[in-house]
Amino acid sequence: MKIAFIGLGNMGGGMAANLAKAGHDVHAFDLAEAALERAKENGCTTYTSVKDAVQGADAVVSMLPNGAIVKSVYAADVIGQAPASAVLLDCSTIDVATARDVASAAEAAGYAMVDAPVSGGIAAANGGTLTFMVGGGDEAFARAEPILAAMGKAVIHAGASGAGQAAKICNNMLLGASMVATCETFAMAEKLGLDLQTFYDISSKASGQCWSMTSYCPVPGVGPQSPADNGYQGGFATGLMLKDMKLAMAAAKDVGAQVPMGERAAELYAAFAEAGNAGIDFSAIIKTL
């Protein structure tokens, strides 16, 4: 397939490379010259405008920073520029309302579209092991699924337009809160005189085990390799976690959901990011505990 890929940042760059590796003709765009160079090295054809990249495309995939940019790019450069036969896949993490608005505009113009945010960090994007949570109609999902499968290990249809974003926001609120709980637990265990590897060996096999502990342990040298073993570099930046927590808090307010643990975790990540830590992995919040 001829696939236009819009947005080649930390996540998008690896995703586009995996599409090219799968044999697709990837037409890539990004504002950063360095990102375009990396895409070219990974087998993509690069373009200096979205409008040029989407010409003749069978599919358009986007991975962009926020809802305002997604809305602007689709309105100005994708809808009416890409062939109406193209399927549109937005993999950005944005608010549910904007996802639905963009999908409605695309569908009104004759396009099939899905929102397909991802779970998994930079390593998963590079390794093609992302999980995609997909919102959209059955036909749009059927067309999008093989494209997403080339970039991930799981592609799950969450429901109608916006459902992918809803699932992502809920998932990351749980991740953010569980990481804070994991960090404070290790900090308390240490103060109680427990060896942290021993505590890990116990809790990872007991009722307290969770993904934040067993797959992404915030303590250096404990559990599988994680950003904690690399000075909290790479992984999932605190600033991105804070963005997702803010989306979750806004969504909770919109629907009247009570999320006290999510609210407190959002406050902690906000303070941590504002203290100059937005660029390091979110598990580094253990340093504050």
Side-chain angles (χ1 to χ4, degrees):
M1 297 177 68
K2 181 183 288 187
I3 301 176
F5 201 106
I6 314 304
L8 304 167
N10 288 334
M11 298 292 289
M15 293 164 68
N18 281 315
L19 287 174
K21 189 185 298 183
H24 296 294
D25 179 14
V26 180
H27 291 208
F29 168 81
D30 196 273
L31 292 172
E33 185 62 36
L36 291 174
E37 285 301 317
R38 285 194 297 272
K40 192 179 297 184
E41 291 169 3
N42 287 322
C44 303
T45 303
T46 58
Y47 291 81
T48 56
S49 77
V50 174
K51 290 179 180 178
D52 288 341
V54 303
Q55 294 302 308
D58 299 307
V60 178
V61 181
S62 55
M63 190 62 156
L64 298 166
N66 58 55
I69 293 174
V70 169
K71 197 166 192 175
S72 173
V73 167
Y74 275 86
D77 300 317
V78 177
I79 297 172
Q81 301 297 325
S85 58
V87 60
L88 311 180
L89 304 83
D90 181 41
C91 297
S92 319
T93 296
I94 62 175
D95 61 285
V96 174
T98 297
R100 289 175 176 162
D101 286 347
V102 174
S104 293
E107 289 161 6
Y111 295 89
M113 184 170 187
V114 299
D115 51 284
V118 308
S119 178
I122 297 170
N126 292 336
T129 58
L130 295 167
T131 293
F132 290 90
M133 297 154 264
V134 189
D138 291 341
E139 182 183 348
F141 175 76
R143 293 181 61 190
E145 185 175 20
I147 298 168
L148 297 171
M151 301 181 285
K153 65 180 180 181
V155 181
I156 303 166
H157 193 187
S161 291
Q165 298 296 347
K168 171 66 183 287
I169 290 168
C170 290
N171 179 78
N172 277 28
M173 182 178 74
L174 177 58
L175 172 61
S178 67
M179 179 55 79
V180 171
T182 298
C183 290
E184 66 185 17
T185 299
F186 272 108
M188 186 171 79
E190 185 173 42
K191 289 181 178 181
L192 288 169
L194 289 171
D195 174 77
L196 294 188
Q197 180 62 55
T198 301
F199 173 66
Y200 173 89
D201 292 342
I202 294 167
S203 195
S204 64
K205 297 177 180 63
S207 56
Q209 81 83 23
C210 61
W211 188 90
S212 294
M213 173 183 287
T214 56
S215 296
Y216 212 86
C217 188
V219 180
V222 176
Q225 188 82 11
S226 72
D229 299 307
N230 189 37
Y232 300 99
Q233 299 302 310
F236 188 53
T238 297
L240 294 177
M241 174 54 80
L242 178 59
K243 170 197 165 187
D244 290 356
M245 295 298 289
K246 287 180 175 178
L247 287 172
M249 295 307 98
K253 183 177 180 181
D254 287 345
V255 298
Q258 299 299 310
V259 290
M261 300 297 287
E263 286 177 357
R264 183 58 183 140
E267 292 170 357
L268 291 169
Y269 287 114
F272 190 52
E274 288 163 9
N277 301 299
I280 62 175
D281 187 75
F282 77 109
S283 65
I285 201 164
I286 193 171
K287 295 179 179 182
T288 69
L289 298 166

